[in-house]
Amino acid sequence: MSNLLRELSVELGERSYPIFIGQNLLGTCDLSRFVGGSQVMLVTNETVAPLYLESAKGCFPGKRIDTVVLPDGEKYKDWQTLNRIFDGLLERRHTRKTTLVALGGGVVGDMAGFAAACYQRGVPFIQIPTTLLSQVDSSVGGKTGINHPLGKNMIGAFHQPQAVLIDTGSLQTLPPREVSAGLAEVIKYGLIRDLDFLAWLEDRVDALVALDAGALAEAIYRSCACKAEVVALDEREGGLRAILNLGHTFGHAIETFAGYGNWLHGEAVGTGMIMAAELSALEGMISRADCDRITRLILSAGLPGKPPAGMTADDFMNLMAVDKKNVDGQLRLVLLRSLGDAVITSGASPENLALTFDRFCSPE
Amino acid sequence: MSNLLRELSVELGERSYPIFIGQNLLGTCDLSRFVGGSQVMLVTNETVAPLYLESAKGCFPGKRIDTVVLPDGEKYKDWQTLNRIFDGLLERRHTRKTTLVALGGGVVGDMAGFAAACYQRGVPFIQIPTTLLSQVDSSVGGKTGINHPLGKNMIGAFHQPQAVLIDTGSLQTLPPREVSAGLAEVIKYGLIRDLDFLAWLEDRVDALVALDAGALAEAIYRSCACKAEVVALDEREGGLRAILNLGHTFGHAIETFAGYGNWLHGEAVGTGMIMAAELSALEGMISRADCDRITRLILSAGLPGKPPAGMTADDFMNLMAVDKKNVDGQLRLVLLRSLGDAVITSGASPENLALTFDRFCSPE
């Protein structure tokens, strides 16, 4: 594997798995040692298939490879589309020794991963994420699932992959909006746990937006390492892992309000992190200067600074009440105790929450 | 719990759980200590609800109880019906601290269990099985799931309950066909692992068919203990656990051929065990007298001795090829090495398999 730049291991006991990061690994990196049987079901979408399907097949020499090509988009992250994977597996008579491979962004990864979690009560899978967001977020940690009309990711499973292959080459075909969306999650790691990385990102954000290959590889590595560390400490989201949801409670509300797929997940998280920073400042946890610094970095990454026009404080409150991060009716939020140090709290004052909405939302 | 007759523990490390067996436990046995939060979602069906829903609610004093009532029948064990559970949970704003309760037979248990496995990536659940089949089979072992048009139980998860409550009183309202179907699984435990129990069953089969309460309680206890032992040794069906599928490979083919719900699962397994006994005899593993003894016991339990009219050897072969018990194309079957001792083998000769079909099937 001459193009392999970095390798790290997600430590989860018998469910530990490696992440390979490099340039042009697709088609050159042999992953067949992670396939237990002879069958592979490669799941991708209509956008990614023409770009990378053939080279991805080259990662599994000697295996019988079938493919399922899904429509592209968050709005297809539903049961009907998931069922096309089950149809394909059953029509081609895949047994419980099959291995699923997810080739694409977070939606493909979540759906192929959930299909693997459920097919015949669980088969192995491999992730080949092709977007920046999925490379730094959804390929690490084992969360899989689909959406329900009443809430995002409400149906799913924890299911760890056998291996993750990240080819930074695939980012060259990514639309700029999706690069920015991925950077939202990258910035998140700096904010919640790594002040040095945050400073590094402030220096390199322009290079990252311009797709500088070296900067991207470093940012992906540090992001995956940070997430892998958090996940290893708390696989089933009992406590610490929830800090990975910085900006997500606000963000999920934005995504639901806008209609799935109209705002990218990372865009909503970017705005959500600005709102979480504002609330953290109002709560006296971080300074106004810190808050401005966060806002500036997120805006430099090309992310939106406000929720969609027309979204009111009431919209937020209604949509946040069904968010998974609530325990028995208490609104729990991830805030910043200081830069580089996130905390999970249900203690934010209703007044400061209202003030935050005032500053960002459309009037009623 | 004055009516508690028996208690056993399924040993699965941190996922261990108790099974309570007794008379009239519904409404008198307090299960609220197995509910972590304040919310309970009780899932049942249209047949069971008028009989036991109110008394089941009495098992959860002090909890907020919502209910979802599903249509009754194996043909509803599909995604559309499963989704009614998710709809109910989200409409009533159940958080990830909710507990699901399955009140009914195997279909309700499999669906509520799978809903619990997937809702917000996994919430706890409690089983209250009300049919003999579900009491001795599906309430032990953590298998949950739904059917797919191309195969039974193809989509699911392993998800262990917090506790199982078995009220033998609920069997008094069970139709005779369903009592016989449950006895098929009871007989199975004798055949695969417990020759003493098999002899006990030969003595008591008439009493069991006549719903003798003492005999039922003993049969349920011994069946659950046997299954709990096998499951504890092999939770994820790596090896040994597959012996619980005696008669099931033939049985699943029968169920699929007949159309889900037309043959009861236990009826198909009963006939499947007769066919497995025949094949075991042809392979020289058990004697002709043993085979006759098995057939006689299964028939005395009121179970059918032959597959549906019109079902041919070809039908069996086609339907068995997608069965989960196959590994990379090899047809694996559970056969009897001797009475009370099952073995998993892919070594049965095609000639003897053909001869077995000859003796039981309609001609082409």
Side-chain angles (χ1 to χ4, degrees):
Chain A
M1 281 194 277
S2 57
N3 306 313
L4 184 65
L5 300 174
R6 296 278 203 166
E7 177 174 343
L8 65 102
S9 175
V10 183
E11 295 299 333
L12 295 167
E14 61 181 17
R15 288 185 301 284
S16 298
Y17 62 91
I19 302 178
F20 305 109
I21 306 171
Q23 285 263 325
N24 305 320
L25 296 180
L26 271 172
T28 62
C29 178
D30 185 347
L31 295 173
S32 51
R33 69 188 180 282
F34 298 101
V35 176
S38 59
Q39 297 173 306
V40 167
M41 177 57 83
L42 217 158
V43 179
T44 187
N45 70 28
E46 289 166 351
T47 306
V48 176
L51 297 167
Y52 302 117
L53 179 55
E54 282 312 308
S55 53
K57 285 182 181 174
C59 295
F60 304 97
K63 302 296 178 184
R64 195 196 106 191
I65 304 170
D66 292 308
T67 57
V68 170
V69 179
L70 304 176
D72 183 11
E74 176 88 18
K75 70 179 166 192
Y76 297 108
K77 192 172 157 179
D78 59 12
W79 173 262
Q80 284 72 24
T81 311
L82 180 73
N83 206 36
R84 291 173 57 169
I85 305 176
F86 296 131
D87 289 342
L89 287 164
L90 286 163
E91 282 161 10
R92 304 306 307 267
R93 299 201 166 185
H94 281 245
T95 69
R96 59 169 56 167
K97 290 277 182 190
T98 190
T99 296
L100 271 69
V101 176
L103 174 72
V107 173
V108 166
D110 282 7
M111 295 182 76
F114 186 42
C118 297
Y119 186 61
Q120 305 212 16
R121 298 198 190 90
V123 299
F125 85 117
I126 292 168
Q127 293 265 29
I128 306 182
T130 59
T131 66
L132 181 55
L133 179 67
S134 59
Q135 289 172 353
V136 300
D137 179 31
S138 53
S139 68
V140 186
K143 282 190 178 181
T144 71
I146 56 174
N147 297 327
H148 183 281
L150 296 175
K152 211 171 126 62
N153 292 321
M154 282 290 154
I155 303 163
F158 286 94
H159 193 55
Q160 304 295 341
Q162 303 299 301
V164 178
L165 180 75
I166 295 179
D167 186 340
T168 53
S170 64
L171 300 181
Q172 301 303 320
T173 54
L174 201 64
R177 255 185 88 186
E178 295 206 31
V179 174
S180 295
L183 287 174
E185 298 282 353
V186 172
I187 292 166
K188 182 190 76 179
Y189 296 113
L191 289 173
I192 60 173
R193 227 177 127 80
D194 192 343
L195 192 52
D196 284 349
F197 184 37
L198 192 73
W200 184 91
L201 284 169
E202 291 176 311
D203 285 344
R204 308 302 303 271
V205 64
D206 295 339
L208 290 167
V209 169
L211 293 178
D212 176 281
L216 282 170
E218 180 66 14
I220 293 165
Y221 175 78
R222 291 182 76 159
S223 297
C224 287
C226 179
K227 181 158 186 186
E229 202 177 275
V230 173
V231 168
L233 289 168
D234 178 21
E235 185 181 359
R236 305 280 303 200
E237 200 162 345
L240 177 70
R241 183 166 173 167
I243 66 170
L244 295 171
N245 291 316
L246 177 69
H248 283 60
T249 301
F250 296 116
H252 281 169
I254 291 173
E255 282 185 274
T256 306
F257 178 84
Y260 291 145
N262 294 319
W263 272 51
L264 296 176
H265 174 72
E267 291 173 332
V269 167
T271 301
M273 290 193 298
I274 292 176
M275 294 174 74
E278 177 70 29
L279 182 53
S280 304
L282 288 169
E283 290 277 317
M285 301 164 88
I286 59 173
S287 68
R288 180 53 53 189
D290 286 340
C291 182
D292 292 344
R293 195 177 150 188
I294 293 168
T295 304
R296 203 157 47 236
L297 176 59
I298 290 169
L299 294 176
S300 337
L303 291 159
K306 276 190 173 285
M311 187 167 182
T312 66
D314 270 4
D315 292 328
F316 268 101
M317 288 308 293
N318 286 331
L319 291 165
M320 282 163 46
V322 293
D323 191 90
K324 287 190 298 299
K325 265 67 70 184
N326 303 318
V327 175
D328 283 331
Q330 282 279 30
L331 181 60
R332 298 175 80 224
L333 288 169
V334 184
L335 297 180
L336 294 172
R337 185 154 42 196
S338 65
L339 267 188
D341 185 17
V343 64
I344 304 143
T345 176
S346 50
S349 85
E351 294 72 22
N352 286 333
L353 189 61
L355 209 50
T356 302
F357 291 136
D358 264 3
R359 293 187 180 174
F360 287 92
C361 293
S362 301
E364 302 293 327
Chain B
M1 278 195 278
S2 58
N3 307 313
L4 185 65
L5 299 174
R6 298 278 203 162
E7 179 174 343
L8 64 104
S9 175
V10 183
E11 295 300 333
L12 296 167
E14 62 181 17
R15 288 185 301 283
S16 298
Y17 62 89
I19 302 178
F20 305 110
I21 306 171
Q23 284 263 324
N24 305 319
L25 295 179
L26 271 172
T28 62
C29 178
D30 186 346
L31 295 174
S32 51
R33 69 188 181 282
F34 297 102
V35 176
S38 60
Q39 298 174 307
V40 167
M41 177 57 83
L42 218 159
V43 179
T44 186
N45 70 29
E46 289 167 351
T47 306
V48 175
L51 297 168
Y52 302 116
L53 179 55
E54 282 313 308
S55 53
K57 286 181 181 174
C59 295
F60 304 96
K63 302 297 176 182
R64 194 196 107 191
I65 303 171
D66 291 309
T67 56
V68 171
V69 179
L70 305 176
D72 183 11
E74 176 88 19
K75 70 179 166 192
Y76 297 107
K77 191 172 158 179
D78 59 13
W79 173 262
Q80 284 72 23
T81 311
L82 180 74
N83 205 37
R84 291 173 58 169
I85 305 176
F86 296 130
D87 289 344
L89 288 163
L90 286 163
E91 282 161 7
R92 304 306 306 268
R93 300 200 167 187
H94 282 246
T95 68
R96 59 169 58 168
K97 289 277 184 192
T98 190
T99 296
L100 271 70
V101 176
L103 173 71
V107 173
V108 166
D110 282 7
M111 295 183 77
F114 186 43
C118 296
Y119 185 61
Q120 305 213 14
R121 299 197 192 91
V123 298
F125 83 117
I126 291 169
Q127 292 265 27
I128 306 181
T130 59
T131 66
L132 181 56
L133 179 67
S134 59
Q135 290 173 349
V136 299
D137 178 31
S138 50
S139 67
V140 186
K143 283 190 176 181
T144 70
I146 57 174
N147 297 326
H148 183 282
L150 295 175
K152 210 172 128 60
N153 292 321
M154 283 289 154
I155 303 163
F158 285 94
H159 193 54
Q160 303 296 341
Q162 304 298 301
V164 178
L165 180 75
I166 295 179
D167 186 340
T168 53
S170 65
L171 300 180
Q172 301 302 321
T173 53
L174 202 63
R177 255 185 88 185
E178 296 207 31
V179 174
S180 295
L183 288 175
E185 299 282 352
V186 172
I187 292 166
K188 183 190 76 180
Y189 295 114
L191 288 174
I192 60 173
R193 229 175 124 79
D194 192 342
L195 192 54
D196 284 349
F197 185 36
L198 192 73
W200 184 91
L201 285 169
E202 290 177 312
D203 284 344
R204 307 303 304 271
V205 64
D206 295 339
L208 291 166
V209 170
L211 293 178
D212 176 280
L216 283 170
E218 179 67 14
I220 292 166
Y221 175 77
R222 292 182 76 160
S223 297
C224 287
C226 178
K227 182 159 186 186
E229 201 178 275
V230 172
V231 168
L233 289 168
D234 178 22
E235 186 182 357
R236 304 280 305 198
E237 201 162 344
L240 177 70
R241 183 167 172 167
I243 66 169
L244 295 172
N245 291 316
L246 177 69
H248 283 59
T249 301
F250 295 116
H252 281 166
I254 291 173
E255 281 184 275
T256 307
F257 178 85
Y260 292 146
N262 292 319
W263 273 51
L264 297 175
H265 174 71
E267 291 174 332
V269 167
T271 301
M273 290 193 297
I274 292 177
M275 294 174 74
E278 176 70 29
L279 181 53
S280 303
L282 288 170
E283 291 277 317
M285 301 163 88
I286 60 171
S287 68
R288 179 53 52 187
D290 286 340
C291 181
D292 291 344
R293 195 175 150 188
I294 294 168
T295 304
R296 202 156 48 233
L297 177 59
I298 291 169
L299 294 176
S300 337
L303 292 158
K306 275 188 175 286
M311 187 168 183
T312 66
D314 269 5
D315 292 329
F316 268 101
M317 288 307 293
N318 286 330
L319 292 165
M320 283 165 43
V322 293
D323 190 271
K324 288 190 297 300
K325 265 66 71 183
N326 304 318
V327 175
D328 283 332
Q330 281 278 29
L331 181 61
R332 296 175 80 224
L333 288 168
V334 184
L335 297 180
L336 294 173
R337 186 157 39 199
S338 63
L339 266 189
D341 185 16
V343 64
I344 303 142
T345 176
S346 50
S349 85
E351 293 73 22
N352 285 333
L353 189 61
L355 209 50
T356 302
F357 291 136
D358 264 3
R359 294 187 182 172
F360 287 91
C361 292
S362 300
E364 302 294 328

